[in-house]
mmCIF file of all heavy atoms in Angstrom:
data_model
loop_
_atom_site.group_PDB
_atom_site.id
_atom_site.type_symbol
_atom_site.label_atom_id
_atom_site.label_comp_id
_atom_site.label_asym_id
_atom_site.label_seq_id
_atom_site.Cartn_x
_atom_site.Cartn_y
_atom_site.Cartn_z
ATOM 1 N N ILE W 1 60.467 72.715 93.082
ATOM 2 C CA ILE W 1 61.359 73.848 93.369
ATOM 3 C C ILE W 1 62.011 74.269 92.060
ATOM 4 O O ILE W 1 62.581 73.435 91.347
ATOM 5 C CB ILE W 1 62.448 73.457 94.390
ATOM 6 C CG1 ILE W 1 61.817 72.983 95.697
ATOM 7 C CG2 ILE W 1 63.404 74.621 94.651
ATOM 8 C CD1 ILE W 1 62.810 72.510 96.719
ATOM 9 N N PHE W 2 61.879 75.554 91.745
ATOM 10 C CA PHE W 2 62.439 76.054 90.482
ATOM 11 C C PHE W 2 63.749 76.772 90.767
ATOM 12 O O PHE W 2 63.814 77.655 91.626
ATOM 13 C CB PHE W 2 61.443 76.999 89.783
ATOM 14 C CG PHE W 2 60.196 76.290 89.362
ATOM 15 C CD1 PHE W 2 59.098 76.243 90.200
ATOM 16 C CD2 PHE W 2 60.128 75.683 88.128
ATOM 17 C CE1 PHE W 2 57.943 75.586 89.812
ATOM 18 C CE2 PHE W 2 58.963 75.024 87.739
ATOM 19 C CZ PHE W 2 57.881 74.990 88.569
ATOM 20 N N TYR W 3 64.789 76.435 90.046
ATOM 21 C CA TYR W 3 66.104 77.056 90.205
ATOM 22 C C TYR W 3 66.439 77.839 88.943
ATOM 23 O O TYR W 3 66.144 77.387 87.822
ATOM 24 C CB TYR W 3 67.190 75.972 90.404
ATOM 25 C CG TYR W 3 67.026 75.153 91.656
ATOM 26 C CD1 TYR W 3 66.299 73.962 91.621
ATOM 27 C CD2 TYR W 3 67.566 75.590 92.857
ATOM 28 C CE1 TYR W 3 66.129 73.209 92.776
ATOM 29 C CE2 TYR W 3 67.413 74.824 94.020
ATOM 30 C CZ TYR W 3 66.700 73.642 93.965
ATOM 31 O OH TYR W 3 66.544 72.893 95.100
ATOM 32 N N LYS W 4 67.029 78.985 89.163
ATOM 33 C CA LYS W 4 67.479 79.799 88.026
ATOM 34 C C LYS W 4 69.004 79.783 87.981
ATOM 35 O O LYS W 4 69.673 80.127 88.980
ATOM 36 C CB LYS W 4 67.001 81.259 88.159
ATOM 37 C CG LYS W 4 67.445 82.137 86.991
ATOM 38 C CD LYS W 4 66.925 83.562 87.186
ATOM 39 C CE LYS W 4 67.351 84.435 86.034
ATOM 40 N NZ LYS W 4 66.866 85.847 86.201
ATOM 41 N N GLU W 5 69.528 79.338 86.889
ATOM 42 C CA GLU W 5 70.986 79.302 86.754
ATOM 43 C C GLU W 5 71.525 80.730 86.803
ATOM 44 O O GLU W 5 70.958 81.644 86.155
ATOM 45 C CB GLU W 5 71.395 78.645 85.427
ATOM 46 C CG GLU W 5 71.089 77.156 85.366
ATOM 47 C CD GLU W 5 71.962 76.374 86.308
ATOM 48 O OE1 GLU W 5 73.070 76.857 86.613
ATOM 49 O OE2 GLU W 5 71.541 75.295 86.763
ATOM 50 N N PRO W 6 72.586 80.964 87.569
ATOM 51 C CA PRO W 6 73.156 82.335 87.604
ATOM 52 C C PRO W 6 73.659 82.749 86.234
ATOM 53 O O PRO W 6 74.300 81.993 85.529
ATOM 54 C CB PRO W 6 74.308 82.202 88.613
ATOM 55 C CG PRO W 6 74.647 80.751 88.592
ATOM 56 C CD PRO W 6 73.369 80.004 88.360
ATOM 57 N N SER W 7 73.288 83.998 85.869
ATOM 58 C CA SER W 7 73.731 84.486 84.557
ATOM 59 C C SER W 7 75.238 84.757 84.601
ATOM 60 O O SER W 7 75.826 85.031 85.638
ATOM 61 C CB SER W 7 72.991 85.799 84.200
ATOM 62 O OG SER W 7 73.246 86.759 85.204
ATOM 63 N N GLU W 8 75.851 84.703 83.447
ATOM 64 C CA GLU W 8 77.279 84.906 83.355
ATOM 65 C C GLU W 8 77.612 86.364 83.706
ATOM 66 O O GLU W 8 76.924 87.291 83.268
ATOM 67 C CB GLU W 8 77.777 84.611 81.935
ATOM 68 C CG GLU W 8 79.260 84.745 81.742
ATOM 69 C CD GLU W 8 79.672 84.383 80.330
ATOM 70 O OE1 GLU W 8 78.848 83.856 79.582
ATOM 71 O OE2 GLU W 8 80.848 84.682 79.993
ATOM 72 N N ALA W 9 78.613 86.558 84.543
ATOM 73 C CA ALA W 9 78.994 87.919 84.954
ATOM 74 C C ALA W 9 79.397 88.735 83.732
ATOM 75 O O ALA W 9 80.151 88.266 82.882
ATOM 76 C CB ALA W 9 80.143 87.838 85.965
ATOM 77 N N PRO W 10 78.889 89.992 83.646
ATOM 78 C CA PRO W 10 79.211 90.828 82.471
ATOM 79 C C PRO W 10 80.707 91.222 82.482
ATOM 80 O O PRO W 10 81.312 91.357 83.558
ATOM 81 C CB PRO W 10 78.339 92.051 82.648
ATOM 82 C CG PRO W 10 78.096 92.113 84.135
ATOM 83 C CD PRO W 10 78.012 90.697 84.600
ATOM 84 N N GLU W 11 81.270 91.379 81.333
ATOM 85 C CA GLU W 11 82.671 91.788 81.234
ATOM 86 C C GLU W 11 82.772 93.290 81.525
ATOM 87 O O GLU W 11 81.990 94.087 80.990
ATOM 88 C CB GLU W 11 83.220 91.510 79.845
ATOM 89 C CG GLU W 11 84.699 91.801 79.710
ATOM 90 C CD GLU W 11 85.274 91.391 78.385
ATOM 91 O OE1 GLU W 11 84.470 90.968 77.490
ATOM 92 O OE2 GLU W 11 86.504 91.450 78.190
ATOM 93 N N LEU W 12 83.664 93.633 82.398
ATOM 94 C CA LEU W 12 83.842 95.023 82.778
ATOM 95 C C LEU W 12 85.158 95.561 82.234
ATOM 96 O O LEU W 12 86.149 94.845 82.131
ATOM 97 C CB LEU W 12 83.830 95.152 84.311
ATOM 98 C CG LEU W 12 82.566 94.686 85.032
ATOM 99 C CD1 LEU W 12 82.747 94.854 86.532
ATOM 100 C CD2 LEU W 12 81.355 95.456 84.539
ATOM 101 N N PHE W 13 85.116 96.859 81.900
ATOM 102 C CA PHE W 13 86.322 97.529 81.376
ATOM 103 C C PHE W 13 86.630 98.734 82.273
ATOM 104 O O PHE W 13 85.730 99.335 82.872
ATOM 105 C CB PHE W 13 86.090 97.982 79.939
ATOM 106 C CG PHE W 13 85.768 96.832 79.023
ATOM 107 C CD1 PHE W 13 84.456 96.496 78.755
ATOM 108 C CD2 PHE W 13 86.792 96.083 78.457
ATOM 109 C CE1 PHE W 13 84.150 95.409 77.921
ATOM 110 C CE2 PHE W 13 86.485 94.997 77.627
ATOM 111 C CZ PHE W 13 85.169 94.671 77.354
ATOM 112 N N THR W 14 87.900 99.055 82.378
ATOM 113 C CA THR W 14 88.363 100.087 83.317
ATOM 114 C C THR W 14 88.464 101.446 82.639
ATOM 115 O O THR W 14 89.103 101.586 81.599
ATOM 116 C CB THR W 14 89.721 99.697 83.927
ATOM 117 O OG1 THR W 14 89.623 98.445 84.577
ATOM 118 C CG2 THR W 14 90.181 100.755 84.924
ATOM 119 N N LEU W 15 87.846 102.452 83.274
ATOM 120 C CA LEU W 15 87.960 103.826 82.854
ATOM 121 C C LEU W 15 88.848 104.543 83.872
ATOM 122 O O LEU W 15 88.453 104.725 85.023
ATOM 123 C CB LEU W 15 86.583 104.508 82.765
ATOM 124 C CG LEU W 15 86.586 106.011 82.474
ATOM 125 C CD1 LEU W 15 87.229 106.310 81.117
ATOM 126 C CD2 LEU W 15 85.167 106.553 82.520
ATOM 127 N N THR W 16 90.049 104.932 83.445
ATOM 128 C CA THR W 16 90.987 105.627 84.323
ATOM 129 C C THR W 16 90.998 107.112 83.971
ATOM 130 O O THR W 16 91.160 107.463 82.804
ATOM 131 C CB THR W 16 92.402 105.045 84.161
ATOM 132 O OG1 THR W 16 92.377 103.640 84.469
ATOM 133 C CG2 THR W 16 93.378 105.739 85.127
ATOM 134 N N LEU W 17 90.848 107.957 84.967
ATOM 135 C CA LEU W 17 90.851 109.399 84.783
ATOM 136 C C LEU W 17 92.024 110.013 85.534
ATOM 137 O O LEU W 17 92.242 109.730 86.701
ATOM 138 C CB LEU W 17 89.532 110.020 85.263
ATOM 139 C CG LEU W 17 88.254 109.491 84.636
ATOM 140 C CD1 LEU W 17 87.043 110.192 85.251
ATOM 141 C CD2 LEU W 17 88.271 109.685 83.120
ATOM 142 N N LEU W 18 92.792 110.863 84.842
ATOM 143 C CA LEU W 18 93.960 111.484 85.411
ATOM 144 C C LEU W 18 93.900 113.000 85.218
ATOM 145 O O LEU W 18 93.157 113.489 84.349
ATOM 146 C CB LEU W 18 95.239 110.945 84.739
ATOM 147 C CG LEU W 18 95.463 109.429 84.777
ATOM 148 C CD1 LEU W 18 96.691 109.062 83.960
ATOM 149 C CD2 LEU W 18 95.590 108.945 86.206
ATOM 150 N N ALA W 19 94.683 113.741 86.003
ATOM 151 C CA ALA W 19 94.845 115.176 85.843
ATOM 152 C C ALA W 19 96.313 115.480 85.620
ATOM 153 O O ALA W 19 97.175 114.900 86.280
ATOM 154 C CB ALA W 19 94.319 115.912 87.069
ATOM 155 N N ASP W 20 96.619 116.382 84.695
ATOM 156 C CA ASP W 20 97.976 116.773 84.404
ATOM 157 C C ASP W 20 98.063 118.291 84.393
ATOM 158 O O ASP W 20 97.527 118.941 83.514
ATOM 159 C CB ASP W 20 98.416 116.211 83.053
ATOM 160 C CG ASP W 20 99.869 116.529 82.742
ATOM 161 O OD1 ASP W 20 100.606 116.918 83.658
ATOM 162 O OD2 ASP W 20 100.247 116.418 81.549
ATOM 163 N N PRO W 21 98.746 118.897 85.412
ATOM 164 C CA PRO W 21 99.408 118.248 86.566
ATOM 165 C C PRO W 21 98.406 117.762 87.589
ATOM 166 O O PRO W 21 97.275 118.213 87.620
ATOM 167 C CB PRO W 21 100.283 119.399 87.105
ATOM 168 C CG PRO W 21 99.529 120.627 86.774
ATOM 169 C CD PRO W 21 98.901 120.369 85.426
ATOM 170 N N GLU W 22 98.879 116.808 88.436
ATOM 171 C CA GLU W 22 97.985 116.187 89.418
ATOM 172 C C GLU W 22 97.364 117.221 90.364
ATOM 173 O O GLU W 22 96.208 117.092 90.742
ATOM 174 C CB GLU W 22 98.760 115.148 90.222
ATOM 175 C CG GLU W 22 99.161 113.908 89.434
ATOM 176 C CD GLU W 22 99.803 112.877 90.291
ATOM 177 O OE1 GLU W 22 99.766 113.028 91.531
ATOM 178 O OE2 GLU W 22 100.343 111.890 89.745
ATOM 179 N N GLU W 23 98.173 118.256 90.732
ATOM 180 C CA GLU W 23 97.676 119.228 91.674
ATOM 181 C C GLU W 23 96.671 120.211 91.048
ATOM 182 O O GLU W 23 96.092 121.056 91.733
ATOM 183 C CB GLU W 23 98.831 120.033 92.302
ATOM 184 C CG GLU W 23 99.638 120.836 91.317
ATOM 185 C CD GLU W 23 100.771 120.095 90.672
ATOM 186 O OE1 GLU W 23 100.781 118.846 90.696
ATOM 187 O OE2 GLU W 23 101.704 120.759 90.146
ATOM 188 N N GLY W 24 96.471 120.097 89.725
ATOM 189 C CA GLY W 24 95.589 121.025 89.055
ATOM 190 C C GLY W 24 94.119 120.747 89.260
ATOM 191 O O GLY W 24 93.287 121.677 89.145
ATOM 192 N N GLY W 25 93.755 119.499 89.566
ATOM 193 C CA GLY W 25 92.337 119.205 89.733
ATOM 194 C C GLY W 25 92.094 117.743 90.026
ATOM 195 O O GLY W 25 93.029 116.930 90.046
ATOM 196 N N THR W 26 90.812 117.405 90.251
ATOM 197 C CA THR W 26 90.414 116.036 90.566
ATOM 198 C C THR W 26 89.330 115.573 89.627
ATOM 199 O O THR W 26 88.226 116.122 89.647
ATOM 200 C CB THR W 26 89.894 115.971 92.034
ATOM 201 O OG1 THR W 26 90.904 116.456 92.917
ATOM 202 C CG2 THR W 26 89.526 114.556 92.404
ATOM 203 N N PRO W 27 89.609 114.548 88.782
ATOM 204 C CA PRO W 27 88.580 113.993 87.898
ATOM 205 C C PRO W 27 87.675 113.041 88.668
ATOM 206 O O PRO W 27 88.125 112.329 89.564
ATOM 207 C CB PRO W 27 89.383 113.244 86.834
ATOM 208 C CG PRO W 27 90.812 113.466 87.111
ATOM 209 C CD PRO W 27 90.934 113.955 88.521
ATOM 210 N N ILE W 28 86.395 113.020 88.303
ATOM 211 C CA ILE W 28 85.412 112.164 88.957
ATOM 212 C C ILE W 28 84.677 111.365 87.888
ATOM 213 O O ILE W 28 84.249 111.918 86.869
ATOM 214 C CB ILE W 28 84.406 113.014 89.760
ATOM 215 C CG1 ILE W 28 85.114 113.840 90.851
ATOM 216 C CG2 ILE W 28 83.333 112.124 90.397
ATOM 217 C CD1 ILE W 28 84.212 114.807 91.543
ATOM 218 N N GLY W 29 84.531 110.063 88.138
ATOM 219 C CA GLY W 29 83.787 109.205 87.200
ATOM 220 C C GLY W 29 84.522 107.944 86.795
ATOM 221 O O GLY W 29 83.960 107.082 86.127
ATOM 222 N N GLY W 30 85.777 107.808 87.192
ATOM 223 C CA GLY W 30 86.537 106.610 86.839
ATOM 224 C C GLY W 30 86.000 105.379 87.547
ATOM 225 O O GLY W 30 85.339 105.442 88.578
ATOM 226 N N GLY W 31 86.278 104.190 86.964
ATOM 227 C CA GLY W 31 85.815 102.933 87.571
ATOM 228 C C GLY W 31 85.729 101.838 86.541
ATOM 229 O O GLY W 31 86.305 101.950 85.448
ATOM 230 N N GLU W 32 85.014 100.776 86.877
ATOM 231 C CA GLU W 32 84.799 99.651 85.976
ATOM 232 C C GLU W 32 83.375 99.638 85.475
ATOM 233 O O GLU W 32 82.433 99.758 86.269
ATOM 234 C CB GLU W 32 85.117 98.333 86.684
ATOM 235 C CG GLU W 32 86.596 98.190 87.054
ATOM 236 C CD GLU W 32 86.901 96.827 87.635
ATOM 237 O OE1 GLU W 32 85.980 96.204 88.217
ATOM 238 O OE2 GLU W 32 88.054 96.372 87.496
ATOM 239 N N TYR W 33 83.227 99.509 84.147
ATOM 240 C CA TYR W 33 81.904 99.595 83.543
ATOM 241 C C TYR W 33 81.741 98.566 82.411
ATOM 242 O O TYR W 33 82.720 98.167 81.785
ATOM 243 C CB TYR W 33 81.668 100.999 82.967
ATOM 244 C CG TYR W 33 81.766 102.116 83.975
ATOM 245 C CD1 TYR W 33 82.976 102.819 84.129
ATOM 246 C CD2 TYR W 33 80.693 102.467 84.772
ATOM 247 C CE1 TYR W 33 83.081 103.854 85.053
ATOM 248 C CE2 TYR W 33 80.809 103.489 85.715
ATOM 249 C CZ TYR W 33 81.997 104.181 85.833
ATOM 250 O OH TYR W 33 82.127 105.180 86.748
ATOM 251 N N GLU W 34 80.479 98.223 82.175
ATOM 252 C CA GLU W 34 80.186 97.393 80.999
ATOM 253 C C GLU W 34 80.271 98.263 79.741
ATOM 254 O O GLU W 34 80.053 99.485 79.801
ATOM 255 C CB GLU W 34 78.757 96.829 81.103
ATOM 256 C CG GLU W 34 78.550 95.815 82.191
ATOM 257 C CD GLU W 34 77.150 95.264 82.154
ATOM 258 O OE1 GLU W 34 76.730 94.743 81.080
ATOM 259 O OE2 GLU W 34 76.437 95.374 83.158
ATOM 260 N N ALA W 35 80.566 97.646 78.632
ATOM 261 C CA ALA W 35 80.593 98.356 77.382
ATOM 262 C C ALA W 35 79.196 98.920 77.094
ATOM 263 O O ALA W 35 78.192 98.257 77.322
ATOM 264 C CB ALA W 35 81.028 97.442 76.257
#
């Protein structure tokens, strides 16, 4: 039986998108991503 060790979870970084003023619009694409 062959076992594969789980790879180390990649480090994720947060992309925060805002609108100024908030009522002016809605940004899309924010989240957590690998470098």
Side-chain angles (χ1 to χ4, degrees):
I1 300 177
F2 295 91
Y3 297 92
K4 180 179 180 181
E5 291 292 333
S7 59
E8 183 179 349
E11 185 175 6
L12 301 178
F13 301 94
T14 302
L15 173 61
T16 302
L17 302 179
L18 304 174
D20 183 15
E22 291 184 10
E23 63 272 19
T26 303
I28 300 173
E32 293 186 333
Y33 302 96
E34 292 183 57

